[in-house]
């Protein structure tokens, strides 16, 4: 019985609408492009990139520090959650002419 | 080419133009039979000159359409080298040795290339920079005696060879990049050399704006070329675009080489520069190796591209 109360509290937290994360967003990588080059999302959104090319790519923030995927081979994914509003440019560090932007708005 | 009667520069330029066109036919399905392996194997003795060999874009680890195992075609390329009646002095590998910078890929590449029994020099491609350290694995393996991020030079029979790295720390929206440190090194490397010294530059990404829409160029190549322009004979060899394209600008001849793994489309043909799908029976027509012959009397270098088929 001692463990029941914390478990109930956790369930309540997860169920509370005020804490629900925004719907996740997927950006496909195909034909050496980020299929949606500019994506606008509310803060807290998790963006997932999926490499659908038959060549590896990466997803790297323009400043090369905020987020940086490992090399994504065909079918590999990379996810990052954007907590704060702002405009975040990114590119493929293997093919730097491939660029994209995530615009994060206040929720 | 006949050693005793070297072609005029004009004739050589015509040959280069023709060779480029021939390879474009190859890319679109035909084969330039005059530049066949037989021709290369039957090439006359180099006489007082020497020859060296370029391989590129072996992409060991690539296993998708149109090439289920890039090791097999690389091994075939090395077998061609072994079969040459006149041994090249050495091999230049112009990058993308591996597909994903994995140790096993580099191991396989080294094992296969060593079967040629020749000294090999490497510059990295962007596919060789994908380890956690961003190129540390490549540098550890091939970077002995190099400066900076792996650039170096050496002399052979009066020719000055310069290996440049244009795939490191690429920036958003950019193309290939040499960087200030490497350009300063290049200036120092060249400054005391006589303008009559033949220069061979080898690197991965093309050193001119071949097709910027696909990133096929080097942002600061103009600065490097300005240091090279005073030399009477400059040959720039690269890979990256998996097809033969040539361009002559004054005393500078640019040559991009075929891959030993898979072809890529001609600039702007199709939506993207991904692997070009070709029927299995035609794959070896669009892969290949390159020999460069140097005749010692100030003539331009003769470049022969040989398909694997």
């Amino acid at each position: 019985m001692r463990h029941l109360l914390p478990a109930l509290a956790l369930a309540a937290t997860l169920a509370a609408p005020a804490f629900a994360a925004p719907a996740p967003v997927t950006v496909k990588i195909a034909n050496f492009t980020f299929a949606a080059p500019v994506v606008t999302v509310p803060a807290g959104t998790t963006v997932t990139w999926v490499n659908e090319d038959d060549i590896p790519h990466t997803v790297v923030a323009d400043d090369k520090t905020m987020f940086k995927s490992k090399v994504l081979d065909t079918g590999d994914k990379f996810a990052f959650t954007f907590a704060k509003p702002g405009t975040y440019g990114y590119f493929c560090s293997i093919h730097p002419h491939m660029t994209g932007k995530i615009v994060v708005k206040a929720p | 080419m006949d050693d005793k009667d070297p072609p005029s520069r004009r004739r050589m330029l015509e040959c280069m133009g023709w060779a480029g066109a021939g390879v474009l036919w190859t890319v679109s399905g035909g084969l330039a039979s005059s530049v066949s392996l037989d021709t290369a194997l039957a090439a006359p003795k180099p006489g007082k000159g020497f020859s060296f060999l370029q391989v590129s874009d072996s992409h060991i680890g690539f296993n998708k359409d149109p090439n289920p195992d890039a090791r097999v075609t690389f091994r075939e390329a090395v077998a061609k080298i072994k079969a040459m009646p006149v041994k090249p002095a050495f091999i230049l590998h112009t990058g993308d040795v591996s597909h994903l910078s994995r140790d096993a890929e580099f191991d396989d590449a080294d094992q296969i290339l060593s079967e040629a029994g020749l000294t090999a020099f490497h510059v990295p491609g962007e596919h060789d920079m994908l380890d956690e350290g961003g190129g540390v694995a490549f540098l550890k393996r091939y970077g002995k005696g190099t400066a900076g991020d792996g650039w170096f030079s050496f002399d052979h029979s009066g020719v000055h060879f310069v290996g440049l790295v244009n795939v490191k720390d690429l920036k958003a929206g950019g193309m290939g990049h040499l960087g200030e440190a490497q350009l300063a090194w290049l200036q120092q490397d060249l400054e005391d050399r006589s303008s009559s010294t033949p220069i061979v530059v080898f690197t991965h990404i093309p050193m001119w704006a071949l097709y910027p829409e696909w990133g096929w160029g080097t942002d600061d190549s103009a600065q490097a070329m300005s240091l090279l322009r005073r030399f009477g004979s400059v040959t720039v060899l690269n890979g990256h675009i998996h097809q033969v394209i040539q361009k002559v600008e004054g005393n500078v001849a640019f040559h991009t080489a075929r891959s030993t793994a898979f072809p890529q489309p001609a600039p702007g043909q199709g939506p993207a520069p991904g692997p070009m799908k070709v029927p299995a029976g035609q794959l070896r027509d669009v892969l290949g190796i390159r020999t460069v012959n140097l005749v010692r009397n100030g003539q331009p270098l003769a470049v022969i591209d040989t398909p694997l088929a």
Side-chain angles (χ1 to χ4, degrees), chain B residues 1-308:
Chain B
M1 194 202 308
D2 188 339
D3 285 347
K4 291 172 194 153
D5 184 21
S8 69
R9 178 160 188 86
R10 175 176 294 276
R11 175 69 187 133
M12 180 54 79
L13 298 186
E14 285 167 4
C15 285
M16 286 171 176
W18 173 85
V23 170
L24 287 176
W25 300 337
T26 301
V27 166
S28 61
L31 180 67
S33 59
S34 299
V35 195
S36 68
L37 174 67
D38 292 342
T39 311
L41 289 179
K45 294 186 290 290
K48 289 178 193 164
F50 73 101
S51 69
F52 62 93
L53 197 124
Q54 181 189 4
V55 292
S56 201
D57 296 86
S58 44
H59 280 266
I60 300 303
F62 183 83
N63 57 8
K64 299 181 175 68
D65 194 8
N67 190 345
D69 188 348
R71 289 174 299 188
V72 172
T73 45
F74 192 42
R75 195 167 276 126
E76 288 174 28
V78 170
K80 298 278 182 230
I81 300 169
K82 279 169 77 176
M84 284 177 166
V86 179
K87 281 264 169 279
F90 51 82
I91 297 172
L92 304 180
H93 194 311
T94 46
D96 286 356
V97 175
S98 72
H99 194 54
L100 295 167
S101 305
R102 291 176 177 153
D103 280 335
E105 297 172 347
F106 286 126
D107 284 345
D108 285 346
D110 287 351
Q111 193 269 321
I112 294 167
L113 194 58
S114 71
E115 289 166 17
L118 297 169
T119 303
F121 299 95
H122 295 74
V123 287
E126 73 282 2
H127 284 258
D128 301 319
M129 311 298 274
L130 301 176
D131 56 314
E132 279 294 298
V136 169
F138 178 94
L139 212 54
K140 205 171 156 192
R141 202 174 278 255
Y142 305 109
K144 201 179 170 204
T146 64
D149 296 318
W151 50 82
F152 61 100
S153 68
F154 64 92
D155 293 282
H156 185 95
S157 300
V159 178
H160 188 58
F161 289 82
V162 184
L164 297 179
V165 177
N166 58 4
V167 295
K168 178 88 177 167
D169 290 334
L170 302 182
K171 291 175 182 56
M175 302 190 287
H177 187 71
L178 296 162
E180 290 303 321
Q182 186 167 206
L183 287 165
W185 171 86
L186 181 63
Q187 179 166 14
Q188 208 163 33
D189 181 73
L190 295 174
E191 66 188 357
D192 291 334
R193 293 180 196 280
S194 135
S195 294
S196 61
T197 310
I199 308 280
V200 174
V201 174
F202 57 104
T203 188
H204 182 64
I205 296 179
M207 287 286 281
W208 85 97
L210 197 159
Y211 197 65
E213 292 84 345
W214 285 355
W216 288 359
T218 300
D219 289 330
D220 46 4
S221 62
Q223 286 162 264
M225 297 322 298
S226 72
L227 297 171
L228 291 158
R229 199 146 283 135
R230 73 177 168 91
F231 291 93
S233 165
V234 180
T235 305
V236 183
L237 306 174
N238 65 271
H240 188 57
I241 66 166
H242 299 209
Q243 60 194 290
V244 175
I245 294 184
Q246 299 169 336
K247 171 189 158 81
V248 176
E249 209 180 86
N251 291 335
V252 184
F254 300 88
H255 303 266
T256 76
R258 290 191 182 98
S259 161
T260 66
F262 58 87
Q264 283 178 278
Q269 297 294 304
M276 195 165 72
K277 314 292 188 277
V278 293
Q282 288 170 26
L283 177 63
R284 282 152 181 83
D285 296 343
V286 287
L287 307 179
I289 59 174
R290 158 179 291 165
T291 44
V292 182
N293 292 306
L294 184 115
V295 183
R296 296 295 306 277
N297 54 3
Q299 294 298 318
L301 279 60
V303 176
I304 301 171
D305 286 288
T306 307
L308 291 189

Side-chain angles (χ1 to χ4, degrees), chain A residues 22 40-45 82-86 88 103-107:
Chain A
T40 303
V41 297
T45 301
F82 290 86
K84 291 180 182 171
Y88 303 99
V103 180
V104 181
K105 302 279 187 197

